[in-house]
Amino acid sequence: MKQLMTTLLLAAALAACSNDKAPAAATANNAADPAPTSRDTSIYAEALASPTRLEGDAARDAGRKPDEVLAFLGIGPGDVVLDLFSGGGYYAEIIAHVVGPNGRVVAQSNEPYLKFVGDEFNKRHAEGRLPNVDILMAENNELELPAERFDAVTMILAYHDVYNHDPENGWHSIDVEQFLAEVYKSLKPGGIAGIIDHVAAPGAPEETGGTLHRIDPALVIRDFEAAGFALDGESDILRNSSDDYEKIVFAPELRGKTDRFLMRFKKPE
């Protein structure tokens, strides 16, 4: 399958996408204010209603609320979006429907993630199924991105893994500063980074990202602000006060029910 490539010439794949489009998200007046998008929100409902979605995807929507998430992030038609650690591609496909034929999605993954998600990745990215999605395979610390290419970057339930260390399963420690510098470089001025992740207890150490697969939201803010981003908004639409922060997120009783934060960061214009 051509899309399962180990390298991707992003400049060629995205050449048809405009470089002078408006940024994907507007600035929030207050970092705690969700700042609803000014876009027509029907585009998100239409994306979820697409009859071409994979079987089983719609059943995840109630818990993940992707329409509300993408409205919060401000992603819309014509945008060029990078979905980091895309996993099985649930969000990559929805974003592909939202950005439409004039937009583009780059779904980045690596070998450990492909092993984790199993056959879902292959089904979703079968030849020609999502024509406006390109696959970028890049192992940890090998991510190279074009400068000022993307309107938005998303990391869905994945940022905690920058603090994971599991070389036996192919997951090598990530140089966080280098990683975020690459992400920052790849965004257009005014572009946004959207982060969803499992909440860890306040003050939980970085290593919790690899043990419980959770992260203290304060660590995310610390890292992104150190990389030059500004916190542009937070939303509680995925919060769950009944979550047990002492349990790993893969516990059967917690799957799909963890307390999750949603943040929007902006690259200064």
Side-chain angles (χ1 to χ4, degrees):
M1 187 170 63
K2 292 181 180 178
Q3 286 185 309
L4 290 174
M5 61 184 69
T6 55
T7 60
L8 176 68
L9 298 177
L10 286 175
L14 302 175
C17 301
S18 173
N19 286 326
D20 56 2
K21 231 167 7 67
T27 305
N29 294 325
N30 186 306
D33 183 354
T37 179
S38 60
R39 296 185 188 273
D40 179 357
T41 56
S42 66
I43 60 174
Y44 309 113
E46 290 170 4
L48 298 191
S50 171
T52 66
R53 296 180 71 195
L54 283 187
E55 182 180 358
D57 275 5
R60 307 185 197 181
D61 295 345
R64 294 192 174 194
K65 302 180 182 179
D67 50 344
E68 296 181 57
V69 168
L70 295 179
F72 170 79
L73 297 180
I75 293 172
D79 284 342
V80 183
V81 180
L82 171 63
D83 187 32
L84 285 167
F85 300 118
S86 189
Y90 166 90
Y91 255 100
E93 177 162 350
I94 297 172
I95 295 171
H97 288 304
V98 169
V99 302
N102 294 322
R104 205 81 190 164
V105 179
V106 175
Q108 181 267 331
S109 194
N110 58 23
E111 289 301 326
Y113 260 89
L114 292 186
K115 292 177 182 178
F116 179 76
V117 301
D119 197 42
E120 180 183 354
F121 181 92
N122 292 334
K123 289 180 179 178
R124 193 172 306 279
H125 299 292
E127 185 72 24
R129 185 174 173 275
L130 298 173
N132 62 340
V133 176
D134 300 298
I135 304 303
L136 170 61
M137 295 298 293
E139 301 305 315
N140 293 355
N141 300 312
E142 296 179 1
L143 184 67
E144 294 184 5
L145 300 170
E148 299 186 2
R149 177 65 67 179
F150 301 106
D151 298 287
V153 173
T154 58
M155 289 188 69
I156 312 298
L157 304 178
Y159 188 74
H160 64 269
D161 276 327
V162 303
Y163 290 112
N164 193 5
H165 179 70
D166 188 11
E168 291 185 2
N169 290 304
W171 192 271
H172 299 283
S173 296
I174 292 176
D175 183 328
V176 178
E177 182 177 350
Q178 174 185 310
F179 172 76
L180 287 179
E182 197 69 21
V183 173
Y184 186 91
K185 179 191 75 175
S186 75
L187 276 169
K188 298 176 183 179
I192 62 100
I195 311 298
I196 297 173
D197 219 329
H198 309 283
V199 176
E206 297 170 350
E207 292 77 14
T208 306
T211 56
L212 300 179
H213 294 269
R214 300 175 177 271
I215 190 166
D216 180 356
L219 293 180
V220 181
I221 295 172
R222 178 201 69 183
D223 290 352
F224 274 78
E225 289 185 342
F229 291 93
L231 180 62
D232 191 52
E234 299 179 81
S235 172
D236 62 0
I237 60 175
L238 301 175
R239 300 305 300 262
N240 179 7
S241 60
S242 65
D243 188 12
D244 184 349
Y245 295 161
E246 300 303 315
K247 291 184 177 181
I248 191 169
V249 301
F250 303 125
E253 67 273 20
L254 290 182
R255 292 300 292 264
K257 301 176 183 177
T258 57
D259 186 19
R260 287 156 285 164
F261 60 83
L262 168 59
M263 297 178 182
R264 183 182 63 235
F265 295 90
K266 185 175 182 180
K267 179 178 179 177
E269 297 188 48

